[in-house]
Amino acid sequence: MELCDIKPLDVRRCLNTAVLYSYSRKRKVYYFLKQVMNEAVVNGIIQSEPVSVVKPPKKETKSVLIYECEQLKMLFDTDAPSKWLFLLELFTGLRRGEVLALRWENVDLQRKTLLVCQTIVNSADGLKLVNTTKSRKDRVVTLNDAAVEILENVKKHFSPDGGFLFQNKNGSFLSFKSYLRMFNNLFNAQHKKYPSLIRLTPHKLRHTFATNLGRSGADVETIRAILGHSSISTTQIYMHSTIEQQRKATDSLDFGVKLT
C-alpha cells in the first residue's frame, strides 16, 4: 500500500497478523509502524500518521507454569549425572546462561554462597562469555544444605579439577545446544518410566524456585534480589497465592468484634 492510503483499519489488520507473537514482539511491531509513519510525516510524505489512533497491544496476564512436587520427583528419580545440572537450577533459581558460566572460584561451600557475575549469551559470532549478568549487576545467592550437596555431586560427576562447573571435553563451558540435549535425554528417559510426567522447559525450574520462595513467605524484594531482576514488576508474577494460603491468611484475622 502507498503510505498515504494507510488508514487505522489497515494498522489494526497488520497488528492482527502478529496475534501469535509474544507481548514484546507485538509492541515492537506496533512501535515500528509508528516510527515509520512519523518519519513519513517529518519528510512530508503524509500529513498525519494513522498509528496513534490505534491502541498499543495490551499485556496479557498469564499464569506461571511450574513443576509441582510430584512432577519433580518423577523427573529426578534417576542416577543420570545430568540431573545435577538441572537440580542446581531448581535449588538456586539461576538462569541457563548463569549456570553454564559458573566457575568453582564463584562457589564458596564454607559460607554456602554463589557469586553470580558472568553469563553466556548468543552473539553474532556464536556463544560468548560476558563478565556481567542480564541485570548488569553481580549478586550473591545463598545455598541451603541441599544445594551444597548438589554442588558436591556436580564436582564428582562434571568438574573435579576446577574451572567451569559444567564443561565440555576441552574444558570450556557447555553450549546451549548441549544443555538442551541433556535435558531432552533426561526428560525422555523419565517420561518412559512415568508417562504422566508433563513436559515443561528447563527454564520453568527457575519459575518453580521463585514461586516456592513466595509460597514459603519470602517478600518480593528478597525474591527480586535472589533472582537478579532489575525490575520488581518482573518478580511480582511469582507472588500469586494458593487458596490454602489465602485461607490461612484470612483465618488468622481477628478484629475483636463480638458477633453474638
Side-chain angles (χ1 to χ4, degrees):
M1 295 181 67
E2 295 290 335
L3 291 178
C4 60
D5 294 333
I6 295 177
K7 302 294 188 291
L9 178 61
D10 302 309
V11 174
R12 292 191 185 94
R13 286 173 175 167
C14 180
L15 291 174
N16 285 339
T17 66
V19 67
L20 297 179
Y21 290 171
S22 66
Y23 165 71
S24 61
R25 179 68 65 85
K26 290 177 186 176
R27 286 182 66 85
K28 286 178 182 177
V29 171
Y30 175 85
Y31 286 107
F32 175 74
L33 288 174
K34 190 171 184 178
Q35 183 179 5
V36 169
M37 291 300 179
N38 281 330
E39 287 295 321
V41 172
V42 170
N43 287 279
I45 300 173
I46 56 178
Q47 292 186 341
S48 61
E49 59 91 4
V51 182
S52 293
V53 180
V54 180
K55 293 181 179 179
K58 290 184 178 181
K59 188 169 185 178
E60 299 174 359
T61 303
K62 297 181 179 180
S63 58
V64 178
L65 293 176
I66 65 169
Y67 287 95
E68 297 295 348
C69 290
E70 286 304 313
Q71 293 287 307
L72 290 171
K73 289 177 183 178
M74 289 186 281
L75 181 62
F76 293 116
D77 181 23
T78 175
D79 294 327
S82 60
K83 78 174 184 179
W84 300 111
L85 190 164
F86 301 105
L87 277 170
L88 185 62
E89 272 195 82
L90 175 65
F91 277 83
T92 62
L94 268 61
R95 302 177 179 93
R96 173 187 60 175
E98 294 170 344
V99 170
L100 298 181
L102 279 176
R103 298 177 183 269
W104 282 107
E105 62 194 54
N106 306 134
V107 180
D108 190 333
L109 292 179
Q110 286 189 331
R111 295 185 178 180
K112 299 168 68 172
T113 59
L114 282 179
L115 174 62
V116 185
C117 58
Q118 294 177 316
T119 191
I120 296 167
V121 298
N122 276 311
S123 70
D125 300 321
L127 293 181
K128 68 175 183 179
L129 180 72
V130 295
N131 295 317
T132 186
T133 64
K134 186 177 180 180
S135 61
R136 302 287 188 264
K137 292 181 180 179
D138 295 353
R139 70 184 189 278
V140 175
V141 174
T142 55
L143 305 169
N144 61 16
D145 291 339
V148 170
E149 184 177 346
I150 290 166
L151 283 164
E152 290 171 346
N153 277 281
V154 169
K155 182 178 284 289
K156 176 181 177 182
H157 291 283
F158 285 92
S159 50
D161 300 322
F164 290 102
L165 270 66
F166 305 99
Q167 52 189 260
N168 57 29
K169 293 179 180 179
N170 299 322
S172 184
F173 55 80
L174 288 180
S175 67
F176 290 164
K177 186 176 181 179
S178 296
Y179 166 93
L180 185 58
R181 183 174 63 250
M182 290 170 66
F183 182 79
N184 286 338
N185 290 341
L186 175 67
F187 175 84
N188 291 336
Q190 295 308 103
H191 189 259
K192 288 182 180 179
K193 292 169 59 177
Y194 302 104
S196 61
L197 179 60
I198 299 172
R199 182 179 183 85
L200 296 176
T201 65
H203 188 68
K204 298 304 180 184
L205 295 169
R206 175 173 162 88
H207 290 184
T208 302
F209 171 83
T211 298
N212 280 276
L213 281 180
R215 287 176 176 176
S216 67
D219 62 89
V220 66
E221 177 56 31
T222 298
I223 298 174
R224 186 203 65 78
I226 294 173
L227 294 178
H229 288 155
S230 55
S231 171
I232 205 164
S233 62
T234 306
T235 313
Q236 286 174 333
I237 65 173
Y238 303 109
M239 300 305 291
H240 54 78
S241 59
T242 64
I243 291 296
E244 291 75 14
Q245 288 174 301
Q246 294 178 36
R247 189 181 306 281
K248 182 178 179 181
T250 55
D251 283 351
S252 64
L253 290 175
D254 181 7
F255 298 106
V257 179
K258 292 184 178 181
L259 303 180
T260 57

